[in-house]
Coordinates of all heavy atoms in Angstrom, one line a residue:
M269 N 116.7 93.0 36.6 CA 117.8 93.8 37.3 C 117.2 95.0 38.0 O 116.4 95.8 37.4 CB 118.8 94.2 36.2 CG 120.0 94.8 36.8 SD 121.4 94.8 35.6 CE 121.3 96.5 35.0
V270 N 117.5 95.2 39.2 CA 117.0 96.3 40.0 C 117.9 97.5 39.9 O 119.1 97.4 40.0 CB 116.9 95.8 41.5 CG1 116.4 97.0 42.4 CG2 116.1 94.6 41.7
P271 N 117.4 98.6 39.6 CA 118.2 99.9 39.5 C 118.8 100.2 40.8 O 118.2 100.0 41.9 CB 117.2 100.9 39.0 CG 116.0 100.2 38.6 CD 116.0 98.9 39.2
P272 N 120.0 100.8 40.8 CA 120.7 101.1 42.1 C 119.9 102.2 42.9 O 120.1 102.3 44.1 CB 122.1 101.7 41.7 CG 122.2 101.4 40.2 CD 120.8 101.0 39.7
E273 N 119.1 103.0 42.2 CA 118.4 104.1 42.9 C 117.4 103.5 44.0 O 117.2 104.1 45.0 CB 117.6 104.9 41.9 CG 118.4 105.8 41.1 CD 119.0 105.1 39.8 OE1 118.4 104.0 39.5 OE2 119.9 105.6 39.2
Y274 N 116.9 102.3 43.7 CA 116.0 101.6 44.7 C 116.8 101.3 45.9 O 116.2 101.4 47.0 CB 115.4 100.4 44.0 CG 114.4 100.7 43.0 CD1 113.9 99.6 42.1 CD2 113.8 101.9 42.7 CE1 113.0 99.9 41.1 CE2 112.9 102.2 41.7 CZ 112.5 101.1 40.9 OH 111.6 101.4 40.0
Y275 N 118.0 100.8 45.8 CA 118.8 100.5 46.9 C 119.1 101.8 47.7 O 119.1 101.7 49.0 CB 120.1 99.8 46.5 CG 119.9 98.5 45.9 CD1 120.3 98.2 44.6 CD2 119.4 97.4 46.7 CE1 120.1 97.0 44.0 CE2 119.3 96.2 46.1 CZ 119.6 95.9 44.8 OH 119.5 94.7 44.2
L276 N 119.4 102.8 47.1 CA 119.7 104.1 47.8 C 118.5 104.6 48.5 O 118.6 105.2 49.6 CB 120.2 105.1 46.8 CG 121.5 104.7 46.1 CD1 122.0 105.8 45.1 CD2 122.6 104.4 47.1
V277 N 117.3 104.5 47.9 CA 116.1 105.0 48.6 C 115.8 104.1 49.8 O 115.4 104.6 50.9 CB 114.9 105.0 47.6 CG1 113.6 105.2 48.3 CG2 115.1 106.0 46.5
L278 N 116.0 102.8 49.6 CA 115.8 101.9 50.8 C 116.8 102.2 51.9 O 116.4 102.3 53.1 CB 116.0 100.4 50.3 CG 116.0 99.4 51.4 CD1 114.6 99.3 52.1 CD2 116.5 98.0 50.9
S279 N 118.0 102.5 51.5 CA 119.0 102.8 52.5 C 118.7 104.1 53.2 O 118.9 104.2 54.4 CB 120.4 102.9 51.8 OG 121.4 103.4 52.7
A280 N 118.2 105.1 52.5 CA 117.9 106.4 53.1 C 116.7 106.2 54.1 O 116.7 106.8 55.1 CB 117.5 107.4 52.0
A281 N 115.7 105.4 53.7 CA 114.6 105.2 54.5 C 115.0 104.5 55.8 O 114.6 104.9 56.9 CB 113.5 104.3 53.8
I282 N 115.8 103.4 55.7 CA 116.3 102.7 56.9 C 117.2 103.6 57.8 O 117.0 103.6 59.0 CB 117.1 101.5 56.5 CG1 116.1 100.5 55.9 CG2 117.8 100.8 57.7 CD1 116.8 99.2 55.3
F283 N 118.0 104.5 57.2 CA 118.8 105.4 58.0 C 117.9 106.4 58.7 O 118.2 106.7 59.9 CB 119.8 106.1 57.0 CG 120.8 106.9 57.8 CD1 122.0 106.3 58.2 CD2 120.6 108.3 58.0 CE1 122.9 107.0 58.9 CE2 121.6 109.0 58.7 CZ 122.7 108.4 59.2
C284 N 116.9 106.9 58.0 CA 116.0 107.9 58.7 C 115.3 107.2 59.8 O 115.0 107.9 60.9 CB 115.1 108.5 57.7 SG 115.9 109.6 56.5
I285 N 114.9 106.0 59.7 CA 114.2 105.3 60.8 C 115.1 105.1 62.0 O 114.7 105.3 63.1 CB 113.6 103.9 60.3 CG1 112.5 104.1 59.3 CG2 113.2 103.0 61.5 CD1 112.1 102.8 58.6
G286 N 116.4 104.8 61.7 CA 117.4 104.6 62.8 C 117.7 106.0 63.4 O 117.8 106.1 64.7
L287 N 117.8 107.0 62.7 CA 118.0 108.4 63.2 C 116.8 108.8 64.1 O 117.0 109.4 65.2 CB 118.3 109.4 62.1 CG 118.6 110.8 62.5 CD1 119.9 110.8 63.3 CD2 118.7 111.7 61.3
F288 N 115.6 108.5 63.6 CA 114.4 108.9 64.4 C 114.4 108.1 65.7 O 114.1 108.6 66.8 CB 113.2 108.5 63.6 CG 111.9 108.8 64.4 CD1 111.4 110.1 64.5 CD2 111.2 107.7 64.9 CE1 110.2 110.3 65.2 CE2 110.0 108.0 65.6 CZ 109.5 109.3 65.8
G289 N 114.8 106.8 65.7 CA 114.9 106.0 66.9 C 115.9 106.5 67.9 O 115.7 106.5 69.1
I290 N 117.0 107.0 67.4 CA 118.1 107.6 68.3 C 117.6 108.9 68.9 O 117.8 109.1 70.1 CB 119.4 107.8 67.5 CG1 120.1 106.4 67.3 CG2 120.3 108.7 68.3 CD1 121.3 106.5 66.5
L291 N 116.9 109.7 68.2 CA 116.5 111.0 68.7 C 115.3 110.9 69.6 O 115.2 111.8 70.4 CB 116.2 111.9 67.5 CG 117.5 112.3 66.6 CD1 117.0 113.2 65.4 CD2 118.5 113.0 67.4
T292 N 114.5 109.9 69.5 CA 113.3 109.9 70.3 C 113.2 108.9 71.4 O 112.4 109.0 72.3 CB 112.1 109.7 69.4 OG1 112.2 108.4 68.7 CG2 111.9 110.8 68.3
R293 N 114.0 107.9 71.4 CA 113.9 106.8 72.4 C 114.8 107.1 73.6 O 115.9 107.7 73.5 CB 114.3 105.4 71.7 CG 113.5 105.1 70.5 CD 112.1 104.8 70.9 NE 111.3 104.5 69.7 CZ 110.0 104.5 69.7 NH1 109.3 104.9 70.7 NH2 109.4 104.2 68.6
R294 N 114.3 106.6 74.7 CA 115.1 106.7 76.0 C 115.6 105.3 76.4 O 116.4 105.2 77.3 CB 114.3 107.4 77.0 CG 113.9 108.8 76.7 CD 112.9 109.4 77.6 NE 113.5 109.5 79.0 CZ 112.8 110.0 80.0 NH1 111.6 110.4 79.8 NH2 113.4 110.0 81.2
N295 N 115.1 104.3 75.8 CA 115.5 102.9 76.2 C 116.8 102.6 75.5 O 116.9 102.7 74.3 CB 114.4 101.9 75.8 CG 114.6 100.5 76.3 OD1 115.7 100.2 76.6 ND2 113.5 99.8 76.4
A296 N 117.8 102.1 76.3 CA 119.1 101.8 75.7 C 119.0 100.7 74.7 O 119.8 100.7 73.7 CB 120.0 101.5 76.8
L297 N 118.2 99.7 74.9 CA 118.1 98.6 73.9 C 117.6 99.1 72.5 O 118.1 98.8 71.5 CB 117.2 97.5 74.4 CG 117.8 96.6 75.5 CD1 116.7 95.7 76.0 CD2 119.0 95.9 75.0
L298 N 116.6 100.0 72.6 CA 116.1 100.5 71.3 C 117.1 101.5 70.7 O 117.2 101.6 69.5 CB 114.7 101.3 71.6 CG 113.6 100.3 72.0 CD1 112.4 101.2 72.3 CD2 113.3 99.3 70.9
F299 N 117.9 102.1 71.5 CA 118.9 103.0 71.1 C 120.0 102.2 70.3 O 120.4 102.6 69.2 CB 119.6 103.7 72.3 CG 120.5 104.8 71.9 CD1 120.1 106.1 71.7 CD2 121.9 104.5 71.9 CE1 120.9 107.1 71.4 CE2 122.8 105.5 71.6 CZ 122.3 106.8 71.3
L300 N 120.4 101.0 70.8 CA 121.3 100.2 70.1 C 120.7 99.6 68.8 O 121.4 99.5 67.8 CB 121.7 99.0 71.0 CG 122.8 99.3 72.0 CD1 123.1 98.1 72.9 CD2 124.1 99.8 71.4
M301 N 119.5 99.3 68.9 CA 118.8 98.8 67.6 C 118.8 99.8 66.6 O 119.0 99.6 65.4 CB 117.4 98.3 67.9 CG 117.4 97.0 68.7 SD 115.8 96.4 69.3 CE 114.8 96.6 67.9
S302 N 118.6 101.1 67.0 CA 118.6 102.2 66.0 C 120.0 102.4 65.4 O 120.1 102.7 64.2 CB 118.1 103.5 66.7 OG 116.8 103.3 67.2
V303 N 121.0 102.3 66.2 CA 122.4 102.4 65.7 C 122.6 101.3 64.7 O 123.3 101.5 63.6 CB 123.4 102.4 66.8 CG1 124.8 102.3 66.3 CG2 123.2 103.6 67.7
E304 N 122.2 100.1 65.0 CA 122.3 99.0 64.1 C 121.6 99.2 62.7 O 122.1 98.9 61.7 CB 121.8 97.7 64.7 CG 122.7 97.2 65.8 CD 124.1 96.8 65.3 OE1 124.2 96.2 64.2 OE2 125.0 97.0 66.1
L305 N 120.4 99.8 62.8 CA 119.7 100.2 61.6 C 120.5 101.2 60.7 O 120.6 101.0 59.5 CB 118.3 100.8 61.9 CG 117.2 99.8 62.2 CD1 116.0 100.6 62.6 CD2 116.9 98.9 61.0
M306 N 121.1 102.1 61.4 CA 121.9 103.1 60.7 C 123.2 102.5 60.0 O 123.5 102.8 58.9 CB 122.3 104.3 61.6 CG 121.1 105.1 62.0 SD 121.5 106.3 63.2 CE 122.5 107.5 62.3
L307 N 123.8 101.6 60.7 CA 125.0 100.9 60.2 C 124.5 100.0 59.0 O 125.3 99.9 58.0 CB 125.7 100.0 61.3 CG 126.5 100.8 62.3 CD1 127.0 99.9 63.4 CD2 127.6 101.6 61.6
N308 N 123.4 99.3 59.1 CA 122.9 98.5 58.0 C 122.6 99.3 56.8 O 122.8 98.9 55.6 CB 121.7 97.7 58.4 CG 122.2 96.5 59.3 OD1 123.3 96.0 59.2 ND2 121.3 96.1 60.2
A309 N 122.0 100.5 57.0 CA 121.8 101.4 55.9 C 123.1 101.8 55.2 O 123.1 101.9 54.0 CB 121.0 102.7 56.4
A310 N 124.1 102.1 56.0 CA 125.4 102.4 55.4 C 125.9 101.2 54.6 O 126.5 101.4 53.5 CB 126.4 102.8 56.5
N311 N 125.7 100.0 55.1 CA 126.2 98.8 54.4 C 125.4 98.6 53.0 O 126.0 98.3 52.0 CB 125.9 97.5 55.2 CG 127.0 97.4 56.3 OD1 128.0 98.0 56.2 ND2 126.7 96.6 57.3
I312 N 124.1 98.9 53.0 CA 123.4 98.9 51.8 C 123.9 99.8 50.8 O 124.1 99.5 49.6 CB 121.9 99.1 52.0 CG1 121.3 97.9 52.8 CG2 121.1 99.3 50.7 CD1 119.9 98.2 53.3
N313 N 124.3 101.1 51.2 CA 124.9 102.0 50.3 C 126.2 101.6 49.8 O 126.5 101.7 48.6 CB 125.1 103.4 51.1 CG 123.9 104.3 50.9 OD1 123.2 104.2 49.9 ND2 123.8 105.2 51.8
L314 N 127.0 101.0 50.7 CA 128.4 100.5 50.2 C 128.2 99.5 49.2 O 128.9 99.5 48.2 CB 129.2 100.0 51.4 CG 129.7 101.1 52.4 CD1 130.2 100.5 53.7 CD2 130.7 102.0 51.7
V315 N 127.3 98.5 49.4 CA 127.2 97.4 48.4 C 126.5 97.9 47.1 O 126.9 97.5 46.0 CB 126.4 96.3 49.1 CG1 126.0 95.2 48.1 CG2 127.1 95.7 50.2
A316 N 125.6 98.9 47.2 CA 125.0 99.4 46.0 C 126.0 100.1 45.2 O 126.0 100.0 43.9 CB 123.8 100.3 46.4
F317 N 126.9 101.0 45.8 CA 127.9 101.7 45.0 C 128.9 100.7 44.5 O 129.5 100.9 43.4 CB 128.5 102.8 45.8 CG 127.6 104.0 45.9 CD1 127.2 104.4 47.2 CD2 127.2 104.7 44.8 CE1 126.4 105.5 47.3 CE2 126.4 105.8 44.9 CZ 126.0 106.2 46.1
S318 N 129.2 99.7 45.2 CA 130.1 98.6 44.7 C 129.6 98.0 43.5 O 130.3 97.7 42.5 CB 130.4 97.6 45.8 OG 131.1 96.5 45.4
Y319 N 128.3 97.7 43.5 CA 127.6 97.1 42.3 C 127.6 98.1 41.1 O 127.9 97.7 40.0 CB 126.2 96.8 42.7 CG 125.3 96.4 41.5 CD1 125.4 95.2 40.9 CD2 124.3 97.3 41.1 CE1 124.6 94.8 39.8 CE2 123.5 96.9 40.0 CZ 123.7 95.7 39.4 OH 122.9 95.4 38.3
V320 N 127.4 99.4 41.4 CA 127.4 100.4 40.3 C 128.8 100.5 39.7 O 128.9 100.5 38.4 CB 126.9 101.7 40.8 CG1 127.2 102.8 39.8 CG2 125.4 101.7 41.1
W321 N 129.8 100.6 40.5 CA 131.2 100.8 40.0 C 131.8 99.5 39.5 O 132.9 99.5 38.9 CB 132.0 101.5 41.0 CG 131.6 102.9 41.2 CD1 130.9 103.4 42.2 CD2 131.7 104.0 40.3 NE1 130.6 104.7 42.0 CE2 131.1 105.1 40.8 CE3 132.3 104.2 39.0 CZ2 131.1 106.4 40.2 CZ3 132.3 105.4 38.4 CH2 131.7 106.5 39.0
G322 N 131.3 98.3 39.9 CA 131.8 97.1 39.4 C 133.1 96.6 40.1 O 133.8 95.8 39.5
N323 N 133.3 97.0 41.3 CA 134.4 96.5 42.1 C 133.9 96.0 43.5 O 132.8 96.1 43.8 CB 135.5 97.6 42.3 CG 135.0 98.8 42.9 OD1 134.0 98.8 43.6 ND2 135.8 99.9 42.8
V324 N 134.8 95.4 44.2 CA 134.5 94.8 45.5 C 134.9 95.7 46.7 O 134.8 95.2 47.8 CB 135.0 93.4 45.6 CG1 134.4 92.5 44.6 CG2 136.5 93.4 45.6
T325 N 135.3 96.9 46.5 CA 135.8 97.7 47.6 C 134.7 98.0 48.5 O 134.8 98.0 49.8 CB 136.4 99.0 47.0 OG1 137.4 98.7 46.1 CG2 137.0 99.9 48.1
G326 N 133.5 98.3 48.0 CA 132.3 98.6 48.9 C 131.9 97.4 49.7 O 131.5 97.5 50.9
Q327 N 132.0 96.2 49.1 CA 131.6 95.0 49.8 C 132.6 94.7 50.9 O 132.3 94.3 52.0 CB 131.5 93.9 48.8 CG 130.4 94.0 47.8 CD 130.4 92.9 46.8 OE1 131.2 92.0 46.9 NE2 129.5 93.0 45.8
T328 N 133.9 95.0 50.7 CA 134.9 94.9 51.7 C 134.7 95.8 52.9 O 134.8 95.4 54.0 CB 136.3 95.1 51.1 OG1 136.5 94.3 49.9 CG2 137.4 94.9 52.1
F329 N 134.4 97.0 52.6 CA 134.1 98.0 53.7 C 132.8 97.6 54.4 O 132.7 97.8 55.6 CB 133.9 99.4 53.1 CG 135.2 100.1 52.9 CD1 135.6 100.5 51.6 CD2 136.1 100.4 53.9 CE1 136.8 101.2 51.4 CE2 137.3 101.0 53.7 CZ 137.6 101.4 52.5
A330 N 131.9 97.0 53.7 CA 130.6 96.5 54.4 C 131.0 95.4 55.3 O 130.4 95.3 56.4 CB 129.6 96.1 53.3
L331 N 131.9 94.5 55.0 CA 132.3 93.4 55.9 C 133.0 94.0 57.1 O 132.7 93.6 58.3 CB 133.2 92.5 55.2 CG 132.6 91.5 54.2 CD1 133.6 90.7 53.5 CD2 131.6 90.6 55.0
F332 N 133.8 95.0 57.0 CA 134.4 95.7 58.1 C 133.4 96.4 59.0 O 133.5 96.4 60.2 CB 135.5 96.7 57.7 CG 136.8 96.0 57.2 CD1 137.3 96.2 56.0 CD2 137.5 95.2 58.1 CE1 138.4 95.6 55.6 CE2 138.6 94.6 57.7 CZ 139.1 94.8 56.4
T333 N 132.4 97.0 58.4 CA 131.3 97.6 59.1 C 130.5 96.6 59.9 O 130.1 96.9 61.0 CB 130.4 98.4 58.2 OG1 131.2 99.3 57.4 CG2 129.4 99.2 58.9
M334 N 130.3 95.4 59.4 CA 129.6 94.4 60.1 C 130.4 93.9 61.3 O 129.8 93.7 62.4 CB 129.3 93.2 59.2 CG 128.2 93.4 58.2 SD 127.9 91.8 57.3 CE 127.6 92.5 55.7
A335 N 131.7 93.8 61.2 CA 132.6 93.5 62.3 C 132.5 94.6 63.4 O 132.5 94.3 64.6 CB 134.0 93.3 61.9
L336 N 132.5 95.8 62.9 CA 132.4 97.0 63.9 C 131.0 96.9 64.6 O 131.0 97.2 65.8 CB 132.5 98.3 63.1 CG 132.3 99.6 63.9 CD1 133.5 99.8 64.8 CD2 132.1 100.7 63.0
A337 N 130.0 96.6 63.9 CA 128.7 96.5 64.5 C 128.6 95.4 65.5 O 128.0 95.5 66.6 CB 127.6 96.3 63.4
A338 N 129.3 94.3 65.3 CA 129.3 93.2 66.2 C 130.0 93.6 67.5 O 129.6 93.3 68.6 CB 129.9 91.9 65.6
A339 N 131.1 94.3 67.3 CA 131.9 94.8 68.5 C 131.0 95.8 69.3 O 131.0 95.8 70.5 CB 133.2 95.4 68.1
E340 N 130.3 96.7 68.6 CA 129.5 97.7 69.2 C 128.4 97.0 70.0 O 128.1 97.5 71.1 CB 128.9 98.6 68.1 CG 128.0 99.7 68.6 CD 126.6 99.4 68.3 OE1 126.3 98.6 67.3 OE2 125.7 99.8 69.0
V341 N 127.8 96.0 69.5 CA 126.7 95.3 70.2 C 127.3 94.7 71.5 O 126.7 94.7 72.6 CB 126.1 94.3 69.3 CG1 125.2 93.3 70.1 CG2 125.2 94.9 68.3
A342 N 128.5 94.0 71.4 CA 129.1 93.4 72.6 C 129.3 94.4 73.7 O 129.0 94.2 74.9 CB 130.3 92.7 72.2
I343 N 129.9 95.5 73.3 CA 130.2 96.6 74.3 C 128.9 97.2 74.8 O 128.7 97.5 76.0 CB 131.1 97.7 73.7 CG1 132.5 97.1 73.3 CG2 131.3 98.8 74.7 CD1 133.3 96.5 74.4
G344 N 128.0 97.5 73.9 CA 126.7 98.1 74.3 C 125.9 97.2 75.2 O 125.3 97.7 76.2
L345 N 125.9 95.9 75.0 CA 125.1 95.1 75.9 C 125.7 95.0 77.3 O 125.0 94.9 78.3 CB 125.0 93.7 75.3 CG 124.0 93.5 74.1 CD1 124.0 92.1 73.6 CD2 122.6 93.9 74.5
G346 N 127.1 95.1 77.3 CA 127.7 95.1 78.6 C 127.3 96.4 79.4 O 127.1 96.4 80.6
I347 N 127.3 97.5 78.7 CA 126.9 98.8 79.3 C 125.5 98.7 79.8 O 125.1 99.2 80.8 CB 127.2 100.0 78.4 CG1 128.7 100.1 78.2 CG2 126.5 101.2 78.9 CD1 129.0 101.1 77.1
I348 N 124.6 98.1 79.0 CA 123.2 98.0 79.3 C 123.0 97.1 80.6 O 122.2 97.5 81.4 CB 122.4 97.5 78.1 CG1 122.3 98.6 77.1 CG2 121.0 97.0 78.6 CD1 121.7 98.1 75.8
M349 N 123.8 96.1 80.6 CA 123.7 95.2 81.8 C 124.1 96.0 83.1 O 123.5 95.8 84.2 CB 124.5 94.0 81.6 CG 123.9 93.0 80.7 SD 124.8 91.5 80.2 CE 125.9 91.2 81.4
V350 N 125.2 96.8 83.0 CA 125.6 97.6 84.1 C 124.5 98.6 84.5 O 124.2 98.9 85.7 CB 126.9 98.3 83.8 CG1 127.3 99.4 84.9 CG2 128.0 97.3 83.8
L351 N 123.9 99.3 83.5 CA 122.8 100.2 83.7 C 121.7 99.5 84.5 O 121.1 100.1 85.4 CB 122.3 100.8 82.4 CG 122.9 102.0 81.9 CD1 122.3 102.3 80.5 CD2 122.7 103.2 82.8
Y352 N 121.3 98.3 84.0 CA 120.2 97.6 84.6 C 120.5 97.2 86.1 O 119.7 97.3 87.0 CB 119.8 96.4 83.8 CG 118.6 95.7 84.3 CD1 117.3 96.2 84.1 CD2 118.7 94.5 85.0 CE1 116.2 95.6 84.6 CE2 117.5 93.9 85.5 CZ 116.3 94.4 85.3 OH 115.2 93.8 85.8
R353 N 121.7 96.8 86.3 CA 122.1 96.3 87.6 C 122.2 97.5 88.6 O 121.8 97.4 89.7 CB 123.5 95.6 87.5 CG 123.9 95.0 88.8 CD 125.2 94.2 88.8 NE 125.7 94.1 87.4 CZ 126.9 93.9 87.1 NH1 127.8 93.7 88.0 NH2 127.3 93.8 85.9
N354 N 122.7 98.7 88.1 CA 122.9 99.8 89.1 C 121.6 100.6 89.3 O 121.4 101.2 90.3 CB 124.0 100.7 88.6 CG 125.3 100.1 88.7 OD1 125.5 99.2 89.5 ND2 126.3 100.6 87.9
F355 N 120.7 100.7 88.2 CA 119.6 101.6 88.3 C 118.2 100.9 88.2 O 117.2 101.5 88.3 CB 119.7 102.6 87.2 CG 120.9 103.5 87.3 CD1 121.9 103.3 86.4 CD2 121.0 104.4 88.3 CE1 123.0 104.1 86.5 CE2 122.1 105.2 88.4 CZ 123.1 105.1 87.5
G356 N 118.2 99.6 87.9 CA 117.0 98.8 87.8 C 116.2 99.1 86.6 O 115.1 98.7 86.4
G357 N 116.8 99.7 85.6 CA 116.2 99.9 84.3 C 117.2 100.2 83.2 O 118.4 100.4 83.5
V358 N 116.8 100.4 82.0 CA 117.7 100.7 80.9 C 117.4 102.1 80.3 O 117.7 102.3 79.1 CB 117.7 99.6 79.9 CG1 118.3 98.4 80.4 CG2 116.3 99.3 79.4
D359 N 117.0 103.0 81.1 CA 116.7 104.4 80.6 C 118.1 105.1 80.5 O 118.8 105.2 81.5 CB 115.8 105.1 81.6 CG 115.3 106.4 81.1 OD1 115.6 106.7 79.9 OD2 114.7 107.2 81.8
V360 N 118.3 105.6 79.3 CA 119.6 106.3 79.1 C 119.8 107.6 79.8 O 120.9 108.1 80.0 CB 119.9 106.5 77.6 CG1 120.1 105.1 76.9 CG2 118.8 107.3 76.9
T361 N 118.7 108.2 80.2 CA 118.8 109.5 81.0 C 119.3 109.2 82.4 O 119.7 110.2 83.1 CB 117.4 110.2 81.0 OG1 116.5 109.4 81.6 CG2 117.0 110.6 79.6
D362 N 119.2 108.0 82.9 CA 119.7 107.7 84.3 C 121.2 107.7 84.3 O 121.8 107.7 85.4 CB 119.1 106.4 84.8 CG 117.6 106.5 85.1 OD1 117.1 107.6 85.3 OD2 117.0 105.4 85.1
A363 N 121.8 107.5 83.2 CA 123.3 107.4 83.1 C 124.0 108.7 83.5 O 125.2 108.6 83.8 CB 123.7 106.9 81.7
T364 N 123.3 109.8 83.5 CA 124.0 111.0 83.9 C 124.4 111.0 85.4 O 125.3 111.7 85.8 CB 123.1 112.2 83.7 OG1 121.8 112.0 84.4 CG2 122.8 112.4 82.2
T365 N 123.8 110.1 86.2 CA 124.1 110.0 87.6 C 125.4 109.1 87.8 O 125.8 108.9 88.9 CB 123.0 109.5 88.4 OG1 122.6 108.2 87.9 CG2 121.8 110.4 88.3
M366 N 125.9 108.5 86.7 CA 127.1 107.6 86.8 C 128.4 108.4 86.8 O 129.4 107.8 86.7 CB 127.1 106.6 85.7 CG 126.0 105.6 85.9 SD 126.0 104.4 84.5 CE 127.5 103.6 84.7
R367 N 128.3 109.7 86.8 CA 129.5 110.5 86.8 C 130.4 110.3 88.0 O 129.9 110.0 89.1 CB 129.2 112.0 86.6 CG 128.6 112.3 85.3 CD 128.4 113.8 85.2 NE 127.6 114.0 84.0 CZ 126.8 115.1 83.8 NH1 126.8 116.0 84.8 NH2 126.1 115.3 82.7
W368 N 131.7 110.6 87.9 CA 132.6 110.4 89.1 C 132.2 111.4 90.1 O 132.3 112.0 90.9 CB 134.0 110.6 88.6 CG 134.4 109.6 87.7 CD1 134.1 109.4 86.4 CD2 135.2 108.4 88.0 NE1 134.6 108.3 85.8 CE2 135.3 107.7 86.8 CE3 135.8 108.0 89.1 CZ2 136.0 106.5 86.8 CZ3 136.5 106.8 89.1 CH2 136.6 106.1 87.9

């Protein structure tokens, strides 16, 4: 049996990697991957606390978070395709020129 603290440390490490990726990357694809890492870290936390408390509420929220992540990827990939088509690259700093 694995103690819940291991899951929480794993989740914190994955969340920190995702946060580092968001703060340092300029590529939109890597930005989306970092957001996905952060959402997966939240899912690990939800499932770990669900395991500790002995109910399925955390697992239910994790399923909703997975659905949210799937929708986020669909919208994000559409935005990335528009960025690539208009600017020839996926650098997120170029998006400031898309203002009205």
